[in-house]
Amino acid sequence: MRRLRAYAAVLAVVLVTTSAAGVVAESERRDGRLPTADVLGGEQATSVDSATAGSDPVRVGVIGTAFDPERGTVAPRVAASRRIGGPALPFARGPTGHDTAVAEVVAEQSPAAALYLAGVGPRPTAERYGGAVEWLLERDMDVIVDAGSYFPRTTASHDQFETAAERAAADGAVFVTSAGNYAQRHWRGRAANNGWLAFDGESRRNTLRDTDRRRTVEGQLTLRLYWGEGSGTPRTAARQTETSVDYDLYLYRRVADGRDRFVASSTRSSGTTEAIDTTVPAGEYYVQVHADRVTAGTPPLDLFAARHRLTHTTRGGGTLPPATVPGVIAVGAVDGDGGPARYAGGVGDVRAGDTVVTDAAGRVRGTSAATPVVAGTVTDMIVDGGRLSPGAVETILRETADDERRLDPDAAIARADELGDRQHGETRGDATSVGVSSTNRTSSVSAVQQITTLGVLRQSVVLERVGEVTR
């Protein structure tokens, strides 16, 4: 079997200095010091503790808002960190807990993982996201993990997010991402005719609700309307379907003793995306959608409220990039009872438990917890089966999951091992030969499974990323 990588006794680590124009210099360091980080122009690089990650680690890239690469159990496993754009501040500052927790789960579940952390900031542009993916691919990632979702403002930006994920899959990296937590924040349907759209057959208003289901909301509002082939299908495919339909998006404030007040609208004359981003005082708000040039073959449309719940929702569908890309593994969540988590809807190629306990962020709940569990399993599949294609990994995960698409880590790893034996025509020893003992790997998987199936958490915040893209 082809070895994943032959690491020297001391891992060479690349240090990159950057400027606004991009990478301007590179140098290599081979002093083997652990785990002290060097910081140059927003990038940190360290050597991986070979006693922790093994002599032949699997390279796992993690994309997130921000990271603390010196945090607890993550530190010895970080090979390099890169901030893509943004101010040149130390990585440890800012809201790093959520994404550091994602990296922590991958590291704890798979002892073979060497982590490469790419921070894209809280409001990533499509260009910045593409830069993160390219930075990881230049370092020959086996697996890329992104537990967030994005709400692009334009069709072009939507396509750019997807193109980045497509590039990773084409390069052979297994891309694992969150299917999203949108069951209560997403509506999908079709316009029957021109005019104001009816969300439930009658009501033309879709009232926004706070996370505790109150009708009074305030603060930032983020609304997106997408159409074409519909959610779950790449925008690149959607462009291939000619459609003349056009939609406009409106936001109103209800006035109890007077005429409702117009707040904002998005009425573009081209593209298949409408977007509203605004800040509002406390009040009751609702969304309306107007359709024009509706025909018999008009495709479905999808409405998302990134920060609030919708009164009228659709349980199925509702994925966002990068989960919409074929070849990308979209991860859903199961709750403590073993069924699909109600907030996550019925989407996902495979599902895992929705609660993990971490050092970086305490308890984390949602598909953000499930995604790194699956990514850790994929990492161990590569340890045992070699660098499998993204399609092969997805097929194994699906075929070894149960009828509810729940992940079976042991079955998936065993199937990958069998496939690797057939592909390479040789008999390999156990995982000890690649720096991971079979006993340690099994206990690590079991520990995460035990945590994620407890289902005791009902109050932690589910985080999503809102891309303030302008192109």
PDB file of all heavy atoms in Angstrom, residues 11 19 53 63 89 93 164 211 243 286 320 441:
ATOM      1  N   LEU A  11       9.913  17.011  11.514  1.00  0.00           N
ATOM      2  CA  LEU A  11       9.036  17.496  10.446  1.00  0.00           C
ATOM      3  C   LEU A  11       9.454  18.895  10.001  1.00  0.00           C
ATOM      4  O   LEU A  11       9.638  19.793  10.807  1.00  0.00           O
ATOM      5  CB  LEU A  11       7.593  17.535  10.951  1.00  0.00           C
ATOM      6  CG  LEU A  11       6.551  18.019   9.962  1.00  0.00           C
ATOM      7  CD1 LEU A  11       6.387  17.004   8.836  1.00  0.00           C
ATOM      8  CD2 LEU A  11       5.222  18.234  10.670  1.00  0.00           C
ATOM      9  N   SER A  19       1.696  39.789   2.870  1.00  0.00           N
ATOM     10  CA  SER A  19       1.365  41.203   2.807  1.00  0.00           C
ATOM     11  C   SER A  19      -0.008  41.297   2.194  1.00  0.00           C
ATOM     12  O   SER A  19      -0.635  40.292   1.899  1.00  0.00           O
ATOM     13  CB  SER A  19       2.381  41.949   1.936  1.00  0.00           C
ATOM     14  OG  SER A  19       2.237  41.553   0.584  1.00  0.00           O
ATOM     15  N   ALA A  53       0.732  12.457  17.126  1.00  0.00           N
ATOM     16  CA  ALA A  53       0.050  12.238  15.859  1.00  0.00           C
ATOM     17  C   ALA A  53       0.572  11.036  15.089  1.00  0.00           C
ATOM     18  O   ALA A  53       0.010  10.669  14.065  1.00  0.00           O
ATOM     19  CB  ALA A  53       0.183  13.481  14.982  1.00  0.00           C
ATOM     20  N   ILE A  63     -11.248  24.607   8.380  1.00  0.00           N
ATOM     21  CA  ILE A  63     -11.602  25.989   8.041  1.00  0.00           C
ATOM     22  C   ILE A  63     -12.582  26.509   9.077  1.00  0.00           C
ATOM     23  O   ILE A  63     -13.550  25.830   9.423  1.00  0.00           O
ATOM     24  CB  ILE A  63     -12.230  26.070   6.641  1.00  0.00           C
ATOM     25  CG1 ILE A  63     -11.241  25.580   5.582  1.00  0.00           C
ATOM     26  CG2 ILE A  63     -12.663  27.506   6.321  1.00  0.00           C
ATOM     27  CD1 ILE A  63     -11.828  25.512   4.184  1.00  0.00           C
ATOM     28  N   LEU A  89      -3.634  40.144  14.048  1.00  0.00           N
ATOM     29  CA  LEU A  89      -3.718  39.963  15.494  1.00  0.00           C
ATOM     30  C   LEU A  89      -3.320  38.540  15.850  1.00  0.00           C
ATOM     31  O   LEU A  89      -3.434  37.630  15.026  1.00  0.00           O
ATOM     32  CB  LEU A  89      -5.148  40.218  15.981  1.00  0.00           C
ATOM     33  CG  LEU A  89      -5.687  41.639  15.797  1.00  0.00           C
ATOM     34  CD1 LEU A  89      -7.154  41.699  16.202  1.00  0.00           C
ATOM     35  CD2 LEU A  89      -4.873  42.629  16.616  1.00  0.00           C
ATOM     36  N   ARG A  93      -6.639  35.638  20.076  1.00  0.00           N
ATOM     37  CA  ARG A  93      -7.630  36.659  20.384  1.00  0.00           C
ATOM     38  C   ARG A  93      -8.899  36.455  19.571  1.00  0.00           C
ATOM     39  O   ARG A  93      -8.881  35.925  18.479  1.00  0.00           O
ATOM     40  CB  ARG A  93      -7.069  38.043  20.089  1.00  0.00           C
ATOM     41  CG  ARG A  93      -5.889  38.421  20.973  1.00  0.00           C
ATOM     42  CD  ARG A  93      -5.451  39.844  20.679  1.00  0.00           C
ATOM     43  NE  ARG A  93      -4.250  40.186  21.433  1.00  0.00           N
ATOM     44  CZ  ARG A  93      -3.623  41.342  21.318  1.00  0.00           C
ATOM     45  NH1 ARG A  93      -4.065  42.262  20.486  1.00  0.00           N
ATOM     46  NH2 ARG A  93      -2.541  41.579  22.033  1.00  0.00           N
ATOM     47  N   ALA A 164     -14.710  26.560  -4.803  1.00  0.00           N
ATOM     48  CA  ALA A 164     -13.608  26.240  -3.898  1.00  0.00           C
ATOM     49  C   ALA A 164     -13.719  24.807  -3.394  1.00  0.00           C
ATOM     50  O   ALA A 164     -12.727  24.066  -3.354  1.00  0.00           O
ATOM     51  CB  ALA A 164     -13.598  27.218  -2.728  1.00  0.00           C
ATOM     52  N   THR A 211     -35.010  33.160  18.899  1.00  0.00           N
ATOM     53  CA  THR A 211     -34.639  31.772  19.147  1.00  0.00           C
ATOM     54  C   THR A 211     -35.517  31.113  20.204  1.00  0.00           C
ATOM     55  O   THR A 211     -35.621  29.898  20.261  1.00  0.00           O
ATOM     56  CB  THR A 211     -33.178  31.679  19.586  1.00  0.00           C
ATOM     57  OG1 THR A 211     -32.948  32.564  20.687  1.00  0.00           O
ATOM     58  CG2 THR A 211     -32.252  32.067  18.441  1.00  0.00           C
ATOM     59  N   THR A 243     -34.383  29.786 -16.816  1.00  0.00           N
ATOM     60  CA  THR A 243     -35.605  30.156 -16.134  1.00  0.00           C
ATOM     61  C   THR A 243     -35.773  31.662 -16.243  1.00  0.00           C
ATOM     62  O   THR A 243     -34.817  32.420 -16.113  1.00  0.00           O
ATOM     63  CB  THR A 243     -35.585  29.735 -14.645  1.00  0.00           C
ATOM     64  OG1 THR A 243     -36.780  30.186 -14.018  1.00  0.00           O
ATOM     65  CG2 THR A 243     -34.379  30.296 -13.923  1.00  0.00           C
ATOM     66  N   TYR A 286     -41.940  40.707   9.458  1.00  0.00           N
ATOM     67  CA  TYR A 286     -42.277  39.582   8.592  1.00  0.00           C
ATOM     68  C   TYR A 286     -41.690  39.792   7.199  1.00  0.00           C
ATOM     69  O   TYR A 286     -41.363  40.907   6.791  1.00  0.00           O
ATOM     70  CB  TYR A 286     -43.791  39.378   8.519  1.00  0.00           C
ATOM     71  CG  TYR A 286     -44.593  40.532   7.966  1.00  0.00           C
ATOM     72  CD1 TYR A 286     -44.818  40.660   6.593  1.00  0.00           C
ATOM     73  CD2 TYR A 286     -45.151  41.488   8.832  1.00  0.00           C
ATOM     74  CE1 TYR A 286     -45.569  41.725   6.086  1.00  0.00           C
ATOM     75  CE2 TYR A 286     -45.902  42.546   8.345  1.00  0.00           C
ATOM     76  CZ  TYR A 286     -46.102  42.655   6.969  1.00  0.00           C
ATOM     77  OH  TYR A 286     -46.845  43.701   6.465  1.00  0.00           O
ATOM     78  N   LEU A 320     -26.651  24.753   2.221  1.00  0.00           N
ATOM     79  CA  LEU A 320     -25.927  25.923   1.717  1.00  0.00           C
ATOM     80  C   LEU A 320     -24.496  25.514   1.399  1.00  0.00           C
ATOM     81  O   LEU A 320     -24.019  24.469   1.858  1.00  0.00           O
ATOM     82  CB  LEU A 320     -25.939  27.036   2.755  1.00  0.00           C
ATOM     83  CG  LEU A 320     -27.282  27.748   2.970  1.00  0.00           C
ATOM     84  CD1 LEU A 320     -27.259  28.530   4.276  1.00  0.00           C
ATOM     85  CD2 LEU A 320     -27.569  28.680   1.799  1.00  0.00           C
ATOM     86  N   ARG A 441      -7.302   3.779  18.790  1.00  0.00           N
ATOM     87  CA  ARG A 441      -8.266   4.320  17.851  1.00  0.00           C
ATOM     88  C   ARG A 441      -9.675   3.936  18.249  1.00  0.00           C
ATOM     89  O   ARG A 441     -10.584   4.737  18.251  1.00  0.00           O
ATOM     90  CB  ARG A 441      -7.977   3.812  16.429  1.00  0.00           C
ATOM     91  CG  ARG A 441      -8.850   4.452  15.387  1.00  0.00           C
ATOM     92  CD  ARG A 441      -8.715   3.779  14.041  1.00  0.00           C
ATOM     93  NE  ARG A 441      -9.250   2.447  14.076  1.00  0.00           N
ATOM     94  CZ  ARG A 441      -8.594   1.357  13.688  1.00  0.00           C
ATOM     95  NH1 ARG A 441      -7.357   1.448  13.268  1.00  0.00           N
ATOM     96  NH2 ARG A 441      -9.151   0.169  13.753  1.00  0.00           N
TER      97      ARG A 441
END
